[in-house]
């Protein structure tokens, strides 16, 4: 049973470019969460999605960041016009509320903005 | 609003010694509580969870935690540390439904001395 998959594992972008981070949840999971880990700030929630719906985006920066979880395919976290402060590890987690409250995490995407 | 406090950023124990990592939470609703472990450059692995069943929760790798409502605590323990336990440990709290995002503490780095 494959776990949560994220790609790419490492992503380098120059300032002003776009970054697209992908997350495939565990089989059978229909809920996806995105978190960001910064060295001095710890793990912070960004957004919670179900298929075709954004449930909670209270942690998303107001500009340049967006997320989707389409009916088919992976969830995408998109960062437009990246800046150096976007350099971080981005983790995706998935859950199946029908079987438990726990979230299972992917290996993360480490974004470096040069 | 929910929050988690993990006092101290680093704990060092000798191999074979008791491991005690402290976690206090704040929640306006009955919480779900979790401990996760993160090894360098990896994602988070769930150690154990409390979801209003038994107050003493057993997890993987010999870890356990006790939910104490009166103390708003959920401390993580292991009777005998192993070198492989060296990692960063995160306590997290969540609600349910649309409020199921995880709120993390800042994390504690556990070192194990031979």
């Amino acid at each position: 049973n494959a776990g949560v998959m994220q790609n790419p594992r490492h992503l380098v972008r120059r300032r002003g470019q776009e970054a697209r981070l992908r997350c495939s949840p565990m089989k059978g999971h229909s809920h996806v969460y995105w978190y960001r880990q910064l060295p001095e700030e710890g793990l912070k929630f960004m957004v919670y999605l179900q298929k075709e719906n954004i449930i909670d985006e209270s942690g998303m920066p107001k500009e340049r960041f967006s997320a989707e979880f389409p009916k088919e395919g992976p969830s995408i976290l998109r960062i437009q016009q990246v800046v150096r402060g976007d350099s971080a590890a981005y983790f995706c987690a998935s859950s199946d509320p029908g079987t438990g409250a726990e979230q299972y995490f992917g290996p993360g995407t480490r974004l470096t903005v040069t | 609003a929910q929050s988690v406090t993990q006092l101290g950023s680093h704990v060092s124990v000798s191999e074979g010694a008791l491991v005690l990592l402290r976690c206090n939470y704040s929640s306006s609703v009955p919480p779900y509580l979790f401990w996760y472990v993160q090894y360098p450059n990896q994602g988070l692995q769930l150690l154990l969870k409390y979801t209003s069943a038994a107050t003493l929760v057993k997890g993987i790798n010999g870890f356990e935690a006790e939910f104490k409502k009166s103390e708003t605590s959920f401390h993580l323990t292991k009777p005998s540390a192993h070198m492989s336990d060296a990692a960063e440990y995160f306590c997290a709290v969540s609600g349910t439904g649309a409020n199921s995002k995880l709120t993390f503490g800042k994390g504690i780095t556990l070192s194990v001395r031979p």
Side-chain angles (χ1 to χ4, degrees):
Chain A
N1 187 12
V4 177
M5 300 177 67
Q6 290 187 250
N7 66 80
R9 293 291 307 276
H10 300 274
L11 182 61
V12 179
R13 286 287 179 264
R14 292 179 178 159
R15 280 179 296 171
Q17 291 185 318
E18 179 179 290
R20 281 184 178 237
L21 288 61
R22 293 174 183 78
C23 169
S24 295
M26 284 181 68
K27 186 177 181 180
H29 285 191
S30 58
H31 295 228
V32 164
Y33 305 77
W34 286 93
Y35 296 88
R36 178 165 64 175
Q37 186 173 34
L38 290 162
E40 300 300 324
E41 297 184 15
L43 279 153
K44 301 293 185 183
F45 166 78
M46 300 183 74
V47 63
Y48 166 28
L49 310 106
Q50 296 176 18
K51 290 281 188 180
E52 301 184 282
N53 282 307
I54 297 176
I55 306 303
D56 180 358
E57 57 181 347
S58 59
M60 286 282 269
K62 299 300 181 190
E63 298 178 348
R64 302 187 297 109
F65 285 72
S66 63
E68 63 176 4
F69 189 17
K71 186 176 181 180
E72 301 291 339
S75 175
I76 306 289
L77 179 67
R78 182 183 178 202
I79 311 173
Q80 295 178 289
Q81 300 175 329
V82 295
V83 301
R84 288 222 172 106
D86 297 332
S87 295
Y90 292 82
F91 291 97
C92 167
S94 72
S95 73
D96 176 7
T99 60
E102 61 269 31
Q103 296 177 23
Y104 294 91
F105 281 76
T109 294
R110 280 154 183 81
L111 172 66
T112 302
V113 179
T114 62
Chain B
Q2 297 173 317
S3 66
V4 171
T5 301
Q6 294 183 254
L7 290 177
S9 60
H10 186 234
V11 170
S12 180
V13 301
S14 297
E15 191 173 19
L18 171 71
V19 175
L20 170 61
L21 303 180
R22 299 178 187 276
C23 172
N24 289 87
Y25 69 91
S26 173
S27 178
S28 57
V29 297
Y32 287 174
L33 292 159
F34 307 86
W35 276 98
Y36 284 87
V37 61
Q38 185 180 32
Y39 297 98
N41 297 316
Q42 294 187 25
L44 280 74
Q45 181 181 9
L46 179 67
L47 281 176
L48 48 77
K49 65 176 182 179
Y50 167 78
T51 55
S52 74
T55 56
L56 182 61
V57 181
K58 294 187 183 298
I60 62 171
N61 302 338
F63 285 94
E64 63 181 37
E66 186 172 8
F67 172 70
K68 292 187 177 180
K69 184 178 179 180
S70 61
E71 298 178 7
T72 60
S73 69
F74 190 58
H75 302 329
L76 182 71
T77 60
K78 182 174 181 177
S80 177
H82 192 272
M83 297 296 290
S84 62
D85 294 327
E88 189 161 19
Y89 292 78
F90 293 92
C91 181
V93 63
S94 80
T96 58
N99 192 33
S100 57
K101 67 183 180 188
L102 289 168
T103 300
F104 288 91
K106 290 188 178 298
I108 297 176
T109 299
L110 175 66
S111 299
V112 182
R113 303 185 301 272

